[in-house]
Amino acid sequence: MAHLVIEILTEEVPFLEHKNQKTATEAFFKNLGFEVVVDSSPCILRIEAPNLPNTIETPAKHIKGPRENIDLKTVEAFAKRCETSARNLKIENGFYAFTKPASSTGIKEFLEGGVIKNLFEAICKGFSKTMIWNETSAKWIRPITAISITLKNTVIAFEYAGLKSGLPKGLQLGEQKRIDIIKSSIKEIEEKEGVTSISAEKLIRE
């Protein structure tokens, strides 16, 4: 089995957005059929999938296309969607069709082939609002300052907002920074939920 660990460090994730990023992450991996443990703190989103298969087996898939007497442009568009050429299509009962053969992909290649990129996009869509902070036009709840994605202690190649994934750097903040973030979260909850400082702090600790 393969062990995947993803750590995303941001300047700050507002307290009320913790649930959004956690929910979006869990839903994304559930759709892939993988179990994950998600830990969301004021500045770090940590995702751990300890039991990924070493290979991803994709069964053969039969795809039905447009009618036989359709224009060439439509046929070519269908072939492109099937990741093949028009000459490889068959006609079955008056319709174009294609059967994608079964395939096997290593977990590392599977993740680097677009899964991590789709994960970041899914998390971003889960936020109630996002921002752009540099020339890459990448979006997130707050500026990302570091990304670590490892599989069996091997770095998964990925780049987002101009940052390349690397080995974990002990994504820890100074105590004063943590205190400032907690105070900011308490103030946000007080204003939005209409509760006292004590109640807001209790919500954070829970």
Side-chain angles (χ1 to χ4, degrees):
M1 304 299 283
H3 192 148
L4 174 70
V5 177
I6 301 174
E7 291 180 332
I8 306 170
L9 176 64
T10 63
E11 290 185 359
E12 175 193 1
V13 176
F15 176 76
L16 298 176
E17 295 288 351
H18 288 194
K19 182 178 180 181
N20 292 339
Q21 67 177 6
K22 186 174 187 293
T23 300
T25 302
E26 291 173 339
F28 179 84
F29 279 96
K30 183 177 181 180
N31 287 336
L32 292 177
F34 302 148
E35 293 184 1
V36 293
V37 177
V38 183
D39 182 24
S40 177
S41 66
C43 294
I44 304 172
L45 173 63
R46 191 174 195 276
I47 305 164
E48 188 171 2
N51 298 308
L52 297 183
N54 291 316
T55 58
I56 302 297
E57 305 293 338
T58 304
K61 183 179 181 181
H62 186 74
I63 307 172
K64 183 178 179 180
R67 291 184 177 277
E68 180 180 357
N69 297 320
I70 199 70
D71 61 275
L72 180 60
K73 187 176 180 180
T74 301
V75 175
E76 291 177 339
F78 171 66
K80 184 177 181 181
R81 181 162 61 88
C82 295
E83 299 178 342
T84 188
S85 62
R87 64 175 178 272
N88 292 329
L89 301 178
K90 294 182 178 181
I91 296 178
E92 300 175 355
N93 300 319
F95 289 87
Y96 283 94
F98 180 73
T99 300
K100 280 190 174 183
S103 63
S104 178
T105 306
I107 186 62
K108 184 173 184 291
E109 291 72 22
F110 175 72
L111 294 171
E112 291 178 339
V115 172
I116 300 299
K117 175 178 178 292
N118 294 339
L119 168 64
F120 272 64
E121 292 176 352
I123 296 174
C124 195
K125 290 179 180 178
F127 292 128
S128 62
K129 58 183 178 180
T130 57
M131 63 177 292
I132 296 174
W133 65 96
N134 62 23
E135 67 280 359
T136 67
S137 297
K139 296 180 180 180
W140 206 251
I141 185 66
R142 293 288 190 275
I144 297 176
T145 57
I147 300 171
S148 171
I149 306 174
T150 57
L151 182 72
K152 302 186 210 178
N153 297 320
T154 300
V155 174
I156 294 294
F158 180 70
E159 183 174 339
Y160 191 80
L163 296 170
K164 292 184 179 181
S165 172
L167 290 171
K169 298 179 180 179
L171 304 179
Q172 302 295 325
L173 299 177
E175 187 62 27
Q176 186 57 50
K177 176 77 172 179
R178 289 182 181 277
I179 291 173
D180 291 343
I181 291 171
I182 290 173
K183 287 182 177 179
S184 175
S185 297
I186 290 175
K187 184 177 180 181
E188 181 180 355
I189 295 172
E190 286 178 336
E191 294 175 350
K192 193 160 186 175
E193 303 295 335
V195 297
T196 64
S197 296
I198 295 177
S199 298
E201 186 172 356
K202 183 179 179 181
L203 285 171
I204 290 175
R205 296 185 183 279
E206 292 176 348

